[in-house]
Amino acid sequence: MLEAEKEIVEGLSESEKYRYFLGRMQFLKYESGKENLLRSDCSGSVCLALLLATGCSIRVTADALFKKYFTKKNPDKNDIQAAFFITLYDRKLGARLYKENEVCHVAGLCGRDVVLNCVEPVSELRSLSDMKPYYQANDYRVIVRGLDREALQKASDDNVDLFGPDYEFEQIRTAMNEAR
């Protein structure tokens, strides 16, 4: 986080900070496996926004975010939320094979009907309502879920679900832990 941003986010709730940092990540270059303020993939952008908003660090796939952390089926408008795109059949995307009912994509909600859609070539703020028909026509189910804050805190405290974060993510994580 930039030093100047500390004043901006001071006094904001965690969900407001999450939405702020997602919005700040617009135009990041897409790069698979990355999660920093220059380059990221879809799950990396959500994990980074969670770290910056809550101080809790996890780094998992979109599918793990859905199954372990974003489990609130009827989120409150003030909850941290994400939209999940679930394939209805086995499909190959790039070098990866996704199985039926696996989450292939995630987009963090950063406003009413606004998500950070982190795909090639760059992340963009998009209307979820505009995205849904495309994904549904291509055999995806689109589900919005709220964050289970306790599950996130426990994983962070136990230092689990933190696979292969890049150097920049680790620097942010270390700085946030030192600031506590």
Side-chain angles (χ1 to χ4, degrees):
M1 177 168 40
L2 299 172
E3 197 63 34
E5 285 178 304
K6 288 181 181 178
E7 282 185 37
I8 294 169
V9 299
E10 188 177 331
L12 296 179
S13 69
E14 286 184 351
S15 61
E16 290 168 331
K17 288 178 188 177
Y18 173 78
R19 292 189 296 268
Y20 169 82
F21 286 113
L22 285 171
R24 186 190 182 291
M25 287 187 247
Q26 182 171 221
F27 306 123
L28 288 182
K29 288 187 175 189
Y30 177 89
E31 187 174 335
S32 182
K34 288 294 188 179
E35 63 289 311
N36 62 63
L37 293 171
L38 299 173
R39 299 167 300 187
S40 187
D41 62 15
C42 65
S43 58
S45 64
V46 171
C47 291
L48 181 58
L50 288 172
L51 173 62
L52 293 169
T54 68
C56 295
S57 57
I58 59 169
R59 180 56 175 105
V60 296
T61 64
D63 195 60
L65 283 169
F66 180 75
K67 290 177 179 168
K68 292 181 170 185
Y69 302 105
F70 283 84
T71 56
K72 289 177 81 175
K73 293 184 179 178
N74 296 305
D76 180 68
K77 68 177 182 169
N78 294 320
D79 286 334
I80 291 174
Q81 299 178 39
F84 296 90
F85 302 81
I86 303 165
T87 183
L88 299 180
Y89 59 83
D90 292 359
R91 69 172 79 209
K92 188 170 180 159
L93 296 172
R96 178 123 188 254
L97 175 65
Y98 289 89
K99 297 291 188 178
E100 179 180 351
N101 293 317
E102 186 176 357
V103 175
C104 299
H105 182 57
V106 61
L109 264 80
C110 52
R112 187 174 190 204
D113 193 47
V114 176
V115 295
L116 178 71
N117 193 40
C118 196
V119 296
E120 286 194 74
V122 296
S123 58
E124 295 180 309
L125 295 177
R126 299 272 315 271
S127 163
L128 183 58
S129 295
D130 290 346
M131 291 173 60
K132 278 183 180 180
Y134 170 82
Y135 278 93
Q136 289 168 338
N138 285 286
D139 298 318
Y140 290 89
R141 200 171 56 235
V142 181
I143 297 175
V144 173
R145 289 265 188 90
L147 177 68
D148 177 341
R149 181 64 174 80
E150 289 178 23
L152 174 67
Q153 186 68 58
K154 181 167 178 18
S156 182
D157 290 347
D158 294 346
N159 205 27
V160 297
D161 279 347
L162 193 61
F163 68 88
D166 63 27
Y167 176 74
E168 294 90 348
F169 185 88
E170 277 298 320
Q171 283 187 307
I172 294 167
R173 178 176 175 245
T174 300
M176 293 197 72
N177 286 335
E178 289 172 358
R180 282 193 218 168

